[in-house]
Amino acid sequence: MFVCKRRRRLAAIVWGALVLATGAPAARAAEPEVSPDGPEHGKVYFTPEQALARVFDGADRQWTETWEPTPDERAALAGRLGLQVPEPAFTFHRASRAGRELGWALVLEEKGRFKPITFLVHVGPDRRVEAVLVMVYRESRGDAVRRARFLGQFTGKDGDDPLRLNRDVVGISGATLSSRALAAGVRKALVLTEARYEGAP
Amino acid sequence: MSSRHKRRLRGAHEKLGLFLAAGALLMILTGLALQHPGWLGRGALPPRVVTADPAAPGRLLRASPALLEESLDGGATWNELPLSAAPDAPVAAAFAPPPARGAWLLGATELLASADGGAVWERLELPPGVGSGDPPLALTVTADGRPVVVAAHSAWLGGPLGEGGGARWTSLWRVEPTRGDRLRLAVRRLHTGHWGPPLTPRLYDLAALLFVAVLATGVARAARARRRHRQGPHR
């Protein structure tokens, strides 16, 4: 009787594995293709409100400031990043607690392999990264980049750090392009904050 | 066959089984290590691509994984360019013929273009299908400053920089993959685990896990059977 139960359980596991192996690609093929990566998954891990509440925990005042870089500022940003800056404007989220500034938070998007990754970078008052949160991940694989093991590497980095994969950032195996996109995005957030709030306390 | 011969045969069979299991386990361990290169630590990341700037004697660009560097003295010294999103797997780089200052950098999954000789870059869309199932292999630039991307099964001519760059691609040729090509790709995807929905484990990992489970349960069963066999006469 006991052996029978165990056999049934084993058979169920084997069948489950087979269904997963054969059914999943078929189900995926049936969906309409919108990119080489397949349909967008768009897994939301944090809404903007949730992400801001997390990084500005305990804040008694929150506000936003929008920055539209001038052509000269844009050229200077591109020169520092080595990449064109196509966004027309940037929104800096700010907060304070008991009159003390808690830094800046930027919500940015960087393209992974096929689709953009939405993430938040919290830069502290000392211009160092306090936290990075992946808010929306749209690729079909590689969402391991949202784990603390990877994102924790950015904590404490500043604008002088290279933030390069294989150098001061260790990428996630199987999610190299997402890792690189996030590293480039964090560097962009640091450069933007420095450029906009140069000399600010 | 006498019982002594049977015992010997069973013993030889068990030893052979253990030997094969050890070999299979070694294959699994080395396979897992190769499937997850990060486990073995970081390897050397030497430059893979170098190109000379036809407008500036002595100026070279070279690309390593996630790194782009420039030399102004013919390669004696190199300075890192601030391109934080440099291709992880650079394939080719090319400059436009002077006096244009266009430069292109082709990666396995992306194309970057620069209008100022490589100081500031922008991401361009790769030709349709290139980078996903049709890996890019080579890059050249026409006399009027238009990129030509050659992939495994196709070749494409892009628009000039500033007028769409790589956004307007014209197919130069396309060779349909054969049944063998498609089969090879499917087998490779299956082997490397690039199959199924997100969070699907790599097939190799799954097979390794199943094998280890079968091995462990088999060894446990054999040990229990042996114990029972020894205890048998006393029961």
Side-chain angles (χ1 to χ4, degrees), chain B residues 10-217:
Chain B
R10 194 185 299 139
H13 183 75
E14 279 181 3
K15 277 176 192 157
L16 191 63
L18 283 174
F19 181 72
L20 285 176
L25 210 55
L26 186 67
M27 272 176 66
I28 283 175
L29 288 175
T30 49
L32 279 174
L34 291 175
Q35 293 278 327
H36 301 272
W39 292 0
L40 301 174
R42 280 187 248 175
L45 301 166
R48 294 185 186 175
V49 167
V50 66
T51 187
D53 186 348
R59 182 166 184 260
L60 302 170
L61 278 187
R62 77 176 183 189
S64 315
L67 178 66
L68 184 66
E69 293 169 297
E70 171 193 52
S71 172
L72 300 173
D73 52 13
T77 56
W78 292 90
N79 305 310
E80 186 179 324
L81 290 175
L83 178 64
S84 47
D88 184 55
V91 172
F95 281 98
R101 298 293 296 133
W104 284 263
L105 180 57
L106 179 66
T109 55
E110 67 229 291
L111 177 65
L112 295 163
S114 167
D116 58 7
V120 176
W121 297 81
E122 67 174 312
R123 277 172 185 262
L124 301 181
E125 289 295 322
L126 275 172
V130 174
S132 48
D134 193 10
L137 301 176
L139 168 77
T140 188
V141 181
T142 60
D144 59 349
R146 301 166 74 190
V148 177
V149 170
V150 181
H153 299 294
S154 60
W156 302 83
L157 175 66
L161 266 182
E163 295 172 31
R168 285 203 330 258
W169 291 102
T170 312
S171 176
L172 295 179
W173 70 77
R174 178 160 188 83
V175 182
E176 286 306 318
T178 62
R179 189 167 159 269
D181 290 333
R182 283 195 295 271
L183 268 175
R184 261 189 294 278
L185 183 67
V187 168
R188 195 183 306 133
R189 280 191 178 158
L190 199 63
H191 182 76
T192 54
H194 290 169
W195 60 292
L199 302 177
T200 308
R202 292 178 190 219
L203 197 67
Y204 195 95
D205 297 358
L206 204 63
L209 194 69
L210 279 174
F211 180 84
V212 170
V214 167
L215 189 69
T217 49

Side-chain angles (χ1 to χ4, degrees), chain A residues 6 25 29 40 44 70 72 77-78 107 116 136-137 146 150 170 174 194 196:
Chain A
R6 277 180 56 189
E40 191 163 296
V44 178
T70 62
D72 284 350
L77 286 172
V107 176
V136 188
Y137 193 84
R146 72 189 174 83
F150 174 72
V170 180
E194 282 186 3
R196 173 67 182 84

Side-chain angles (χ1 to χ4, degrees), chain A residues 15-27:
Chain A
W15 270 114
L18 277 174
V19 166
L20 188 71
T22 54

Side-chain angles (χ1 to χ4, degrees), chain A residues 72-106:
Chain A
D72 284 350
E73 287 171 331
R74 203 172 282 281
L77 286 172
R80 280 196 69 184
L81 293 167
L83 267 178
Q84 296 283 8
V85 181
E87 296 92 334
F90 298 96
T91 302
F92 290 86
H93 299 270
R94 304 187 67 181
S96 67
R97 184 171 48 215
R100 203 175 131 256
E101 292 268 347
L102 296 178
W104 301 268
L106 271 150

